[in-house]
Amino acid sequence: MTMVSDLGKQARKAALEMATLGSSVRDGALRAMAQALRAHCGAILQANAEDRRAAGEKGVKSAFIERLTLTEARVEGMARGLEEVAALPDPIGTADRMWTRPNGLRILQKRVPLGVVGIIFESRPNVTSDAAAICIKSGNACILRGGSEAIRSNCAIMDALQEAAAAAGLPEGAVALVRDPSRAAANELMRLNGLVDVLIPRGGEGLIRAVVENATVPVIETGTGNCHVYVDRACRNLPMAFDVTYNAKLRRVSVCNAMETLLVHREISPDFLPEMLERFRKAGVEIRGCARTKALCPWVSDATEEDWRTEYDDYILAVRIVDSLDEAIDHINTYGTRHSESILTDDVDRAQRFLDRVDAAAVYLNAPTSFTDGGEFGFGAEIGISNQKLHARGPMGPEHLTTIKYEIFGSGQIRP
């Protein structure tokens, strides 16, 4: 138990130094860490194979194994992500604005790091490098705690990152991993008041709820993704609709931006749904539909009220036929998690009504929800996707891990 508090003390000390390190040092460290991932790819993949073998022996579902899996291409993607973050503008130290008061005081508002950022995440080992990259770029120290299923992978990745970070001049403790996979260690991280400035959970609903309910340090709540695609009656480009809908669900079923419910206007449903659902069936997707969906495709299973609320992260899709655009919007605002939603239509006015009225961090027109990602938004990587409305919303890049500091310059003024 003392190990986690020790990491917190080291990180707190490192954070003070990180806040004053020049961007050239931080960016150089990120590029060195990218090369370290490439150099240690073999060891990382070997560790990942052991994690996947252990998970398979536990009988976990295939979607979970997919989230856990690393390949040479994915390790290379992690390395490129570090380099892309290094190439971004420096988010700290810059002056937002400066003004002079009537008494002659000059006030500077600038961006500074949050300090020590804790991240608790589940089975995706690429989060280890993504989170470290965003924290280093924004001048923060970080303490990461991944899921027990990926412990070997996370340790192998962190070994490579820490070796490169130290050689590049980052202070000891700037990038740390809780290597104890126990719940007790996670609970201690949640309660490191005075050492951890903010805690970010990244994972499923259970993890996020546990952190929100148990943490005593401030939490930025990243969201579960019960995401929808709505095919409007004015969608005349059906080939586009087929491709976008397919990608929204099947690019990666296990990620939070995957479509979980497909909504289709009743006027277009006979032309769209039978072919679309047959494509999904051939790909191994279980379809759970409303009564009207079953009338078009009798092989579909019955959808329940719970299906409309569920983030499956699996080869399962809920389907509902609606009578109007407003009904689709009401369904999304009732059952969605304010993550990512999409409308497919050729009617500009109907599209704008959807974009304006849907309450979500990311709302799309004629594009899949799978684009809600820090890399796709130009952030290089992301610390998570927030669907709350305080501090940050949507994919969180380096600038979202900063806060405001005021520096006031006087010449002997006193307040009457």
Side-chain angles (χ1 to χ4, degrees):
M1 290 290 288
T2 57
M3 180 186 69
V4 179
S5 60
D6 288 344
L7 292 178
K9 292 172 184 175
Q10 289 180 347
R12 169 56 59 197
K13 183 178 179 181
L16 297 175
E17 187 174 342
M18 287 290 292
T20 60
L21 278 182
S23 61
S24 61
V25 177
R26 288 180 277 114
D27 293 342
L30 291 174
R31 288 189 287 268
M33 291 159 70
Q35 292 298 344
L37 288 182
R38 295 184 176 105
H40 292 81
C41 181
I44 292 170
L45 294 182
Q46 181 178 350
N48 184 250
E50 294 173 7
D51 283 334
R52 286 185 284 116
R53 181 165 52 251
E57 291 172 354
K58 293 180 181 178
V60 301
K61 60 185 182 181
S62 59
F64 181 93
I65 298 292
E66 195 279 334
R67 284 199 299 272
L68 178 61
T69 298
L70 292 177
T71 63
E72 287 189 16
R74 288 183 179 178
V75 173
E76 174 59 27
M78 291 159 58
R80 287 200 306 271
L82 285 161
E83 292 169 338
E84 290 167 2
V85 171
L88 294 174
D90 188 2
I92 65 172
T94 57
D96 288 346
R97 60 192 183 112
M98 188 171 190
W99 64 98
T100 302
R101 299 292 297 148
N103 60 7
L105 287 178
R106 291 180 297 126
I107 302 175
L108 171 67
Q109 177 184 303
K110 63 189 291 187
R111 306 302 302 183
V112 296
L114 291 174
V116 177
V117 179
I119 302 100
I120 297 180
F121 58 100
E122 292 182 322
S123 60
R124 293 179 60 192
N126 64 291
V127 175
T128 305
S129 65
D130 287 353
I134 297 294
C135 289
I136 291 170
K137 181 69 181 185
S138 52
N140 293 286
C142 63
I143 304 174
L144 312 180
R145 194 274 185 182
S148 59
E149 299 83 3
I151 186 63
R152 301 171 186 83
S153 304
N154 292 335
C155 287
I157 293 167
M158 184 55 69
D159 287 343
L161 297 181
Q162 287 180 326
E163 178 183 329
L170 296 192
E172 182 181 3
V175 185
L177 175 72
V178 177
R179 298 177 187 245
D180 177 358
S182 69
R183 183 169 297 180
N187 287 338
E188 187 178 5
L189 179 59
M190 296 182 203
R191 299 185 176 102
L192 285 185
N193 295 76
L195 297 177
V196 171
D197 291 286
V198 66
L199 188 62
I200 303 173
R202 180 168 173 176
E205 180 182 1
L207 168 70
I208 295 168
R209 184 172 60 251
V211 172
V212 170
E213 292 176 353
N214 292 293
T216 58
V217 300
V219 174
I220 298 177
E221 183 179 347
T222 61
T224 53
N226 184 16
C227 304
H228 302 72
V229 171
Y230 166 57
V231 183
D232 186 47
R233 73 182 186 194
C235 180
R236 291 180 286 274
N237 188 347
L238 287 184
M240 179 272 292
F242 289 135
D243 290 343
V244 168
T245 304
Y246 193 88
N247 183 263
K249 180 61 183 177
L250 287 177
R251 177 190 168 272
R252 291 187 72 181
V253 300
S254 62
V255 294
C256 63
N257 58 25
M259 174 184 67
E260 304 291 18
T261 298
L262 172 63
L263 303 174
V264 182
H265 194 284
R266 61 177 173 79
E267 292 181 15
I268 201 173
S269 61
D271 296 324
F272 176 76
L273 267 184
E275 182 175 342
M276 186 74 257
L277 297 191
E278 185 61 30
R279 291 190 187 188
F280 280 134
R281 179 160 72 161
K282 289 180 179 178
V285 178
E286 176 190 345
I287 307 298
R288 302 176 183 177
C290 66
R292 288 193 287 187
T293 300
K294 286 176 63 64
L296 288 174
C297 303
W299 53 270
V300 169
S301 302
D302 288 315
T304 66
E305 178 76 9
E306 188 61 28
D307 285 307
W308 308 134
R309 302 183 184 278
T310 301
E311 180 187 22
Y312 299 112
D313 289 335
D314 204 348
Y315 288 87
I316 305 172
L317 177 68
V319 182
R320 181 179 181 183
I321 295 174
V322 296
D323 290 320
S324 66
L325 170 64
D326 285 344
E327 186 179 350
I329 293 170
D330 289 343
H331 179 103
I332 291 169
N333 287 340
T334 299
Y335 298 106
T337 54
R338 301 187 296 184
H339 190 293
S340 300
E341 313 294 352
S342 178
I343 181 174
L344 309 184
T345 187
D346 291 289
D347 187 302
V348 174
D349 292 336
R350 292 171 69 82
Q352 195 60 56
R353 183 174 179 81
F354 185 93
L355 296 172
D356 290 342
R357 292 193 57 201
V358 165
D359 183 11
V363 189
Y364 292 83
L365 168 62
N366 296 334
T369 55
S370 50
F371 279 106
T372 304
D373 177 88
E376 295 297 327
F377 278 29
F379 303 155
E382 67 188 31
I383 203 75
I385 298 172
S386 170
N387 57 6
Q388 65 182 34
K389 296 182 180 180
L390 295 179
H391 180 74
R393 199 177 195 200
M396 295 170 58
E399 70 274 16
H400 300 117
L401 293 189
T402 66
T403 186
I404 292 172
K405 182 177 184 178
Y406 293 97
E407 295 179 355
I408 301 93
F409 303 88
S411 56
Q413 293 92 333
I414 58 173
R415 183 172 177 176

